Amino acid sequence: MAAARWPGVAEADGALTLTVAEGVTSAVVHALARGEAPPPPFAVRALTPLPAAVPDGERPITVDQTNLSVIVGETVVVKWYPRPVRGPHPAPGLLAHLAGFARTATPYACLFWEDALVALVTAYLPDARDGWEWCVDEAEAGRTGFAAEIGRLAAELHLAMATPSEVFPHPVRLPRPDGPGPATWPARAEEALRAALALTGGEDGAWLAARAATLRRELAPLASARPSPLIRIHGDLHVGQILRWRDGYAVVDFDGNPTVADGEAFQPAARDLAQLRTSVDHAAQVAVRRRGTDPEAALAWAAAAREDVRKSYLAALAEAGRPELLDETLLRPFEIEQECRELIYAARHLPRWRYAPMGVLRSWFP
Ligand code: ADP
Ligand code: MG
């Protein structure tokens, strides 16, 4: 079986497909650890040296995931992109910029095929569980201690994003009146609301339609938003991207949000914080549906936890002397926009998810 050392990449109708045979992930990791260059048109962007001795053996990660992650020798994770996309991808630049940020899985290398990112190689975090497990456990148990920790984690991530590096020498921007920024936010949110209204049918759709004016009022502050600072954000920061592992919490998956049309890389920090907070509300809905948690208890838990996330996020920014990184007036409108995006996502990709954003919206606007 000497042939199967690198994955296969096929291109048809302008779309790439990646196939990874058994044993390939382990072979690739060992080749990279030896410093071997892959055969063209593969290319490697090295970020941190791999451990010299990676044990043999590979096993796939089996949780719900968009891509295909495989663990090699219980030390390295390779995230393969089964449908690689040509052109710029946010993760390599972000991970290079975040070099030294300890609260993510150490990134070792990016593997490209021509101009398409096909894999990310990172450190394996032992005993890692993502928030769709651990945070739902907390909701079920009514424990909120985690909230201060993930609020701080989000702030530390943003502080690292806002610190100059060779990759991003100017990581904090003020929007220009003629450039992307506040001027585009109201239309982007309105578009999300309209799509959510159009795509949500039945009783839920009728309920939403009856609240359209209320939701629009919540979005209104976007129209008078100040030109607050823009940074590179995570872009898809929900509890599922926060792993609780042997040594604490870590944030992973810098692929951004493929369902957002506004591909502007620099965004207000409030977008990440809004998404993180709403994901805590979603965890409460999951606990009610899947674990039989009492709905009132779950809502009270979510209200307390999301407030603690906000407080500890703010405290961490203040401690670092960077309180200006968060424009709090954007938080609520972005949370509303996020719930619209969850409804759009449910309608287009995962109908059984609709209950979560609907449950949250119904609790916010009884
Ligand atoms: P996807 O793009 O498929 O969502 P993620 O990077 O979010 O990929 O990873 C998917 C899942 O794999 C995570 O939810 C987590 O359970 C697991 N995982 C990801 N990275 C690591 C890691 N470094 N160590 C351990 N488990 C991980
Ligand atoms: Mg993910």
Side-chain angles (χ1 to χ4, degrees):
M1 293 295 288
R5 294 181 44 81
W6 295 86
V9 179
E11 187 160 28
D13 303 323
L16 298 177
T17 322
L18 175 85
T19 41
V20 185
E22 213 174 304
V24 164
T25 309
S26 162
V28 165
V29 166
H30 288 111
L32 293 175
R34 287 192 301 270
E36 243 172 65
F42 286 103
V44 174
R45 176 170 176 185
L47 295 166
T48 315
L50 271 96
V54 179
D56 284 329
E58 58 174 52
R59 64 181 172 95
I61 284 176
T62 51
V63 304
D64 256 8
Q65 55 195 316
T66 314
N67 298 291
L68 166 70
S69 290
V70 181
I71 301 161
V72 176
E74 303 301 310
T75 41
V76 173
V77 179
V78 179
K79 170 150 115 180
W80 295 106
Y81 296 90
R83 282 166 299 281
V85 179
R86 287 184 180 279
H89 186 289
L94 288 175
L95 292 173
H97 171 72
L98 290 174
F101 173 67
R103 301 186 72 185
T104 186
T106 301
Y108 295 130
C110 307
L111 181 66
F112 294 88
W113 186 87
E114 294 188 351
D115 60 346
L117 179 68
V118 294
L120 270 184
V121 184
T122 63
Y124 172 62
L125 303 174
D127 308 327
R129 296 169 76 227
D130 75 44
W132 299 124
E133 293 181 19
W134 67 256
C135 195
V136 177
D137 291 349
E138 300 307 290
E140 190 182 6
R143 290 185 298 251
T144 55
F146 75 93
E149 297 202 50
I150 67 169
R152 173 164 291 270
L153 173 57
E156 285 175 7
L157 173 66
H158 286 166
L159 288 163
M161 289 290 199
T163 302
S165 71
E166 271 176 31
V167 190
F168 303 141
H170 305 290
V172 184
R173 300 185 179 171
L174 272 183
R176 287 192 322 239
D178 57 333
T184 62
W185 300 338
R188 172 184 147 139
E190 171 64 27
E191 203 181 305
L193 173 57
R194 263 190 222 155
L197 287 165
L199 292 168
T200 309
E203 211 185 298
D204 286 339
W207 185 93
L208 263 189
R211 302 299 183 292
T214 307
L215 294 168
R216 281 206 174 90
R217 255 199 310 281
E218 296 270 12
L219 297 177
L222 294 178
S224 49
R226 294 181 280 127
S228 48
L230 309 179
I231 57 171
R232 295 297 300 260
I233 60 168
H234 181 283
D236 195 18
L237 190 62
H238 54 75
V239 292
Q241 315 281 33
I242 297 187
L243 309 186
R244 180 188 270 175
W245 66 294
R246 197 186 57 199
D247 293 351
Y249 293 90
V251 53
V252 297
D253 195 348
F254 291 86
D255 293 348
N257 188 338
T259 66
V260 172
D262 168 11
E264 192 47 49
F266 282 77
Q267 294 280 349
R271 279 208 196 279
D272 272 353
L273 187 59
Q275 186 177 10
L276 182 59
R277 273 163 46 102
T278 58
S279 74
V280 170
D281 294 293
H282 299 144
Q285 297 296 322
V286 174
V288 171
R289 169 145 314 202
R290 304 243 194 102
R291 311 262 181 102
T293 303
D294 171 61
E296 263 182 48
L299 289 181
W301 170 87
R306 68 205 309 290
E307 180 57 5
D308 286 353
V309 169
R310 188 184 65 86
K311 278 198 206 139
S312 90
Y313 178 94
L314 282 171
L317 286 194
E319 240 171 69
R322 308 289 313 262
E324 78 286 355
L325 287 179
L326 180 72
D327 178 350
E328 267 201 275
T329 64
L330 302 174
L331 203 50
R332 185 60 175 174
F334 285 167
E335 287 179 358
I336 301 289
E337 178 180 342
Q338 182 60 37
E339 290 315 275
C340 293
R341 290 195 183 285
E342 300 285 340
L343 287 171
I344 297 168
Y345 179 78
R348 294 201 177 131
H349 305 289
L350 193 64
R352 68 182 151 83
W353 179 244
R354 193 207 271 186
Y355 79 89
M358 280 311 302
V360 173
L361 287 169
R362 284 177 189 272
S363 76
W364 287 354
F365 306 104

